[in-house]
Every structure is written in structure tokens, then in C-alpha cells.
């Protein structure tokens, strides 16, 4: 039996970051992970592999649509799916091995296997029992199931199966126009599949700024994605190579059937805490199966903490990472903190979509007076040169104090641009502070400055 200051359960972005910070703070730390490689869903079957496929398929899209315009002539590249998969696997391998290196560097033990908590202060992995003063649960999430839809991870797949389909489908149905559905739907559409997205609501990416939703859907349609909106999927029937998807339109209850070679179920994820033994321990849960934690990420059982997707809040790797660092600080007797008001969200399609802070809807609900500064990428020289002028930056600021309350970006590098607004918000900046900051020319970030200018004196290039 080994004794630890901290045992972290789960080596996803929440868990591994937490473990590294614990070790840096001088705590003897181990991580329990049952997968063959570290990094959790994000590195193995989520964020990282999907970004590899998004990158590769975007390059193809550029070759097919923009190369000739720039005087780059010749046949467009053809897709070698096996090689693209090998590239993706190499990216995964490089990243997961990187975490192994960081564990060794920080003297963190990897306890291989699936862990359970027989009692506070104890973690069981296989037949071995380990003792720890603190246990931090970072067990993540798994895809939610949909009644009538049986996932086989070959024809009817979750995001996991969708990353390694046997071949590029001719026809693909995506259930759910959320982040996963649109990212992976984009990948296969660019690789040549006819992709139909079936969405229950009348809008895509629920919760996002309505102007962004509209622009985003228009751009995706222009790229070739088809949408069936306001439709509830009833069932799928699959053979070894094909599937039928039955859905009902909410407006008239009419039933429709659509054929596909692959069906991606992307209707959300749910917290994963199976086998940990939380019920026997009396750990308090929310009705949605999330572990309840206090401001210090401690559960109602002293010494047991939880972070990331298995707790409340957005299921985002970077939210989990921040909680991981903060929980480590707490366990080490310091003061960890996460500002939940400034957590960016990004969709890595082309163009990218990013947001942070309040939306107009949430501000209206709060009865707060706000102003809008908006700038179209059409007025940004760099975006025009790069065939990336579709989209805009929208900044919301307090009407009286000018303090930045939120930002919504659809356009090139939106996922990077959003961070200057995040930093500004962390410092309590006004839109004028951003507008008075010199931005290099020609950069996409000038569009952020122009949107900030639009909150006050007005933009220059529109
Ligand atoms: P989501 O919650 O983003 O979207 C699910 C969509 O499915 C919603 O639009 C919903 O209205 C629709 N839907 C639900 N039931 C339906 C039905 N029966 N028929 C048709 N449509 C239906 O969930 P998603 O895309 O699966 O992502 C899961 C989680 O993973 C999210 O919390 C997301 O934030 C996270 N994630 C984040 C990424 C990023 O930050 N880039 C990438 C991938 C996942």
C-alpha cells in the first residue's frame, strides 16, 4: 500500500493538469487512469483528434475552393483516408506521450486501471488499495444516449466512432446541431460526404448569440451542409453498412425517413462516475448525475473533491483544467479560484465561432442596459486577402460604465481572437480600453478593436 497526499481519478485535461499542479506544489501525487494512454477523452477521442481532422479537411477545402483564385493551379489533392487516420493517430500519440513525459518529470505515479473509492482516504485500483489524504475525482463525461437509437460505433456512432469510420460515407446523418455535430459534420462534408444535420430546435448551437447562430448556419449551408430543423429523431435502424433514421417534424408531427451510410449521434454528453462507489460513500449528486461541490471543489464528504465534466457547468476541457489547478491550490492550503464569468467557448469549424461572457439574452433577463459594438470581417484587410471575410465581431458593453460584458465572434481565428476580450474582461476593462490599445496591422485582431471602437466613437473601416 502506497501513501499519497493526493490521488486524482482520471487523466483527462482536468485530472492531469490538477496532478501536475499538485506535484508542483510539493504534494505526493498519483493519477488513476484505465485507458491505455493518458489525456482522457480530449486527447484520445475528442478535442485533439477532431482538430487534426478539421485541419486536414480544411486544407482540402482551401485547395478545392481557393487555390486556383490565388494562381495555384493543378489537380486538387485526393483523400487518402488511411493516411489521414495515421496522421490523426500520430497527433494523438504525440500528445498523450507528452503527458506521460510530464508525469515522469513531475514524479507523478500513474496507477493503471479503473479506480473506486471504498472509503474516504482510500482508492482501489484492481486488487491494490492505496491511501490518500485527498482524492480528486476528474472522471469526465460520456455521450448521452437517445431512445430508439442503438450505437454500434461502426454505422451508428458517437463522436468516438466518428473519428475513425472505416471509410468516408457517401451519405451521413448527424443528429444534433451542437458543437460535436457541426465540427464532425463539417469534416465529413469537406471530405465529400453528403451531410444532413437533424436538429430538435429551430436554431443551431443552442444558447449562442442569435446573430451568430444565423450567420453560422448560412455559412455552413453555403458550404454544403443540409439542415432539417425542428425535428425529433425517433429511431435508427442499422444493418452492417447502412442505416435508416426516422424523425418527426415538430410543426406538423409528420414522420420522415432518411437513409445514411453513417449516423453520428451528437445530442450531448453526460457526467461519468460509474463504478466509483459514490452512492455508498454518500456523495451528494445533482438530479442530472453531476457531483455537487462547494466553492473549494470539495464534495460533502471531507477529503473528496471533484472537478470538470463530472461536476456542474459547461463541459469544456479548459474549464476542467482551470478547476484542476484551483482544486490543487485548495488541497495545498492555498486559494484556488476560477472566474466562471470568463470561460470562452469555441467551435473549431471554418469559420470558427467563439464567445465569452454574457449574451444579449442573458443581459435582457438581468434587466441590464447594454450597448453593442459590431464589426464585419468584410472591413478587415487581412481577412479579405485570406478569403475569410465572412463573419463579424460583436462586443457587448455596459451602457453606462462601458465595461465589457461579453463578446461573440464568427470568423477567422475566432478561437484565438476571443482571448484578448477574455483578458480585458479579467481586468475589468472598458470597450474604450480595448479600442485605445494599438493593434498590429494587418491582423484579424483589428476587427476586435474595431468592434470595441463601435461601442464608442465608431469604427474606422465600416
Ligand atoms: P450539444 O449540447 O452542444 O448539442 C446537442 C444538440 O442536439 C442540441 O442542439 C440539441 O437541441 C440537439 N438534440 C438533442 N436531442 C435531439 C433529438 N432527439 N433530435 C435532434 N436533435 C437533438 O452537445 P454535443 O455537440 O453532443 O457536445 C457535447 C458536449 O461536449 C458539449 O457540452 C460541448 O460543449 C462539448 N464539446 C465541446 C467542444 C468544443 O469546445 N469545441 C467540442 C466537442 C464537444
Amino acid at each position: 500500500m502506497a501513501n499519497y497526499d493526493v490521488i486524482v481519478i482520471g487523466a483527462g485535461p482536468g485530472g492531469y493538469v490538477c496532478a501536475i499542479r499538485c506535484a508542483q506544489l510539493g504534494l505526493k501525487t498519483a493519477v488513476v487512469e484505465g485507458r491505455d494512454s493518458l489525456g482522457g477523452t480530449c486527447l484520445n477521442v475528442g478535442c485533439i483528434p477532431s482538430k487534426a481532422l478539421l485541419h486536414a479537411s480544411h486544407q482540402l477545402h482551401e485547395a478545392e475552393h481557393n487555390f486556383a483564385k490565388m494562381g495555384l493551379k493543378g489537380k486538387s489533392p485526393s483523400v487518402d483516408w488511411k493516411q489521414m487516420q495515421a496522421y490523426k493517430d500520430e497527433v494523438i500519440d504525440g500528445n498523450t506521450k507528452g503527458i506521460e513525459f510530464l508525469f515522469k518529470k513531475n514524479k507523478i505515479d500513474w496507477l493503471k486501471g479503473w479506480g473506486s473509492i471504498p472509503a474516504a482516504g482510500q482508492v482501489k485500483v484492481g486488487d491494490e488499495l492505496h491511501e490518500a489524504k485527498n482524492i480528486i475525482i476528474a472522471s469526465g463525461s460520456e455521450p448521452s444516449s437517445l431512445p430508439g437509437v442503438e450505437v454500434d460505433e461502426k454505422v451508428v456512432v458517437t463522436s468516438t466512432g466518428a473519428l475513425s469510420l472505416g471509410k468516408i460515407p457517401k451519405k451521413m446523418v448527424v443528429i444534433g446541431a451542437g458543437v460535436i455535430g457541426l465540427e464532425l459534420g463539417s469534416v465529413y462534408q469537406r471530405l465529400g460526404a453528403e451531410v444532413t444535420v437533424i436538429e430538435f430546435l429551430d436554431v443551431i448551437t443552442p444558447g449562442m448569440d442569435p446573430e451568430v447562430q444565423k450567420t453560422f448556419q448560412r455559412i455552413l449551408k453555403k458550404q454544403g451542409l443540409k439542415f432539417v430543423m425542428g425535428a425529433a429523431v425517433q429511431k435508427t435502424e442499422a444493418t452492417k453498412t447502412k442505416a435508416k433514421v426516422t424523425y418527426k417534424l415538430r410543426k406538423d408531427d409528420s414522420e420522415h425517413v432518411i437513409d445514411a451510410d453513417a449516423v453520428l449521434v451528437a445530442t450531448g454528453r453526460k457526467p461519468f462516475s460509474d463504478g466509483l462507489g459514490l452512492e455508498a460513500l454518500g456523495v451528494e449528486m445533482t438530479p442530472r448525475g453531476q457531483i455537487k461541490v462547494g466553492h473549494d471543489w470539495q464534495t460533502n464528504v471531507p477529503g473528496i473533491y471533484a472537478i470538470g465534466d463530472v461536476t456542474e457547468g459547461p463541459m469544456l476541457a479548459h474549464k476542467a483544467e482551470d478547476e484542476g489547478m484551483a482544486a490543487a491550490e485548495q488541497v495545498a492550503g492555498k486559494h484556488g479560484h476560477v472566474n466562471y464569468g470568463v470561460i470562452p467557448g469555441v467551435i473549431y469549424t471554418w469559420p470558427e465561432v467563439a464567445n465569452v461572457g454574457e449574451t444579449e439574452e442573458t443581459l435582457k433577463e438581468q434587466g441590464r442596459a447594454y450597448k453593442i459594438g459590431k464589426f464585419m470581417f468584410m472591413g478587415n484587410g487581412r481577412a479579405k486577402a485570406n478569403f475569410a471575410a465572412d463573419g463579424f465581431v460583436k462586443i457587448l458593453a455596459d451602457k453606462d460604465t462601458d465595461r465589457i460584458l461579453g463578446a461573440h465572434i464568427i470568423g477567422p481565428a475566432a478561437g484565438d481572437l476571443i482571448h484578448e476580450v477574455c483578458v480585458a474582461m479579467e481586468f475589468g476593462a472598458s470597450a474604450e480600453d480595448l479600442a485605445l490599445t494599438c493593434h498590429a496591422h494587418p491582423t484579424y485582431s483589428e476587427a476586435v478593436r474595431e468592434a470595441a471602437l463601435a461601442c464608442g466613437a465608431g469604427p474606422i473601416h465600416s
Side-chain angles (χ1 to χ4, degrees):
M1 188 189 293
N3 289 326
Y4 292 99
D5 293 314
V6 183
I7 294 182
V8 181
I9 300 181
Y16 85 70
V17 166
C18 178
I20 292 172
R21 178 59 95 231
C22 285
Q24 287 171 340
L25 291 167
L27 302 170
K28 189 168 181 328
T29 307
V31 176
V32 186
E33 175 54 61
R35 273 182 210 269
D36 294 336
S37 50
L38 300 172
T41 300
C42 176
L43 271 70
N44 288 284
V45 287
C47 327
I48 298 299
S50 65
K51 259 76 272 172
L53 294 183
L54 279 158
H55 177 67
S57 60
H58 176 62
Q59 301 301 316
L60 178 66
H61 179 92
E62 285 291 286
E64 285 172 346
H65 294 85
N66 293 329
F67 274 19
K69 290 183 213 163
M70 294 184 282
L72 298 170
K73 297 269 169 95
K75 246 179 86 193
S76 286
S78 59
V79 179
D80 178 344
W81 183 231
K82 225 173 132 190
Q83 176 56 33
M84 201 179 284
Q85 287 286 316
Y87 149 65
K88 179 206 73 183
D89 292 340
E90 208 174 302
V91 171
I92 296 173
D93 200 50
N95 278 276
T96 56
K97 292 263 164 57
I99 311 297
E100 259 183 73
F101 164 78
L102 290 174
F103 274 20
K104 281 190 190 123
K105 186 179 157 198
N106 287 286
K107 301 190 174 47
I108 296 166
D109 290 344
W110 175 4
L111 308 174
K112 294 187 183 179
W114 301 101
S116 62
I117 311 172
Q122 293 185 347
V123 173
K124 200 170 172 213
V125 185
D127 295 330
E128 280 183 37
L129 196 63
H130 303 270
E131 286 204 336
K133 289 184 200 126
N134 301 283
I135 298 168
I136 302 180
I137 303 168
S139 49
S141 60
E142 60 178 352
S144 322
S145 53
L146 198 58
V149 176
E150 200 176 315
V151 170
D152 57 27
E153 292 296 11
K154 289 204 161 64
V155 175
V156 182
V157 297
T158 64
S159 51
T160 303
L163 292 167
S164 44
L165 289 177
K167 58 178 186 202
I168 296 162
K170 280 205 176 74
K171 282 185 170 185
M172 181 177 212
V173 166
V174 173
I175 310 176
V179 188
I180 292 179
L182 297 180
E183 285 188 356
L184 290 173
S186 282
V187 165
Y188 284 101
Q189 188 273 326
R190 290 172 193 163
L191 295 178
E194 183 188 316
V195 178
T196 306
V197 183
I198 304 178
E199 167 57 48
F200 182 77
L201 300 172
D202 296 321
V203 291
I204 65 169
T205 56
M208 210 164 261
D209 174 83
E211 266 185 279
V212 170
Q213 286 174 331
K214 258 194 220 151
T215 307
F216 191 24
Q217 195 175 3
R218 173 181 58 72
I219 295 172
L220 291 174
K221 273 187 187 165
K222 208 166 95 188
Q223 289 173 1
L225 278 182
K226 293 189 175 139
F227 287 92
V228 179
M229 304 302 291
V233 168
Q234 306 294 304
K235 61 175 177 184
T236 54
E237 294 157 281
T239 64
K240 274 193 175 142
T241 53
K242 288 206 177 308
K244 275 184 193 311
V245 181
T246 307
Y247 63 88
K248 257 188 186 173
L249 286 181
R250 289 196 294 134
K251 63 177 181 208
D252 57 10
D253 232 19
S254 59
E255 201 167 90
H256 303 259
V257 179
I258 180 167
D259 291 323
D261 305 300
V263 179
L264 165 61
V265 188
T267 51
R269 295 179 63 86
K270 60 179 183 195
F272 177 75
S273 58
D274 292 0
L276 290 176
L278 300 184
E279 209 180 312
L281 282 167
V283 171
E284 233 182 288
M285 312 287 283
T286 72
R288 298 181 55 200
Q290 299 145 317
I291 299 175
K292 263 196 183 173
V293 292
H295 292 300
D296 57 356
W297 296 277
Q298 195 160 196
T299 67
N300 60 316
V301 179
I304 300 184
Y305 296 73
I307 56 162
D309 284 11
V310 78
T311 62
E312 290 174 89
M315 288 187 173
L316 297 169
H318 43 281
K319 176 255 192 190
E321 287 179 28
D322 280 26
E323 289 179 343
M325 284 192 278
E329 305 264 344
Q330 292 287 350
V331 165
K334 297 177 184 292
H335 300 283
H337 173 73
V338 175
N339 180 358
Y340 288 100
V342 186
I343 293 185
V346 180
I347 307 179
Y348 299 88
T349 42
W350 183 268
E352 289 186 347
V353 179
N355 61 70
V356 65
E358 306 286 351
T359 62
E360 285 192 66
E361 282 58 40
T362 56
L363 290 172
K364 278 177 198 153
E365 277 165 26
Q366 296 163 33
R368 290 174 78 176
Y370 62 92
K371 54 187 174 178
I372 304 168
K374 195 173 153 190
F375 186 77
M376 309 298 288
F377 276 102
M378 194 51 87
N380 178 276
R382 184 74 179 277
K384 271 158 95 167
N386 294 359
F387 306 108
D390 225 345
F392 57 85
V393 179
K394 177 171 168 180
I395 291 178
L396 305 174
D398 188 283
K399 196 159 189 186
D400 303 317
T401 66
D402 197 37
R403 187 178 176 143
I404 300 171
L405 303 172
H408 305 273
I409 308 178
I410 175 164
D416 290 295
L417 296 181
I418 197 73
H419 293 94
E420 74 166 294
V421 185
C422 294
V423 173
M425 287 175 73
E426 282 288 357
F427 281 77
S430 64
E432 191 183 33
D433 289 328
L434 241 185
L436 291 178
T437 304
C438 183
H439 284 60
H441 175 75
T443 58
Y444 297 136
S445 68
E446 287 172 288
V448 179
R449 182 195 205 177
E450 292 266 23
L453 277 166
C455 288
I460 303 295
H461 294 90
S462 73

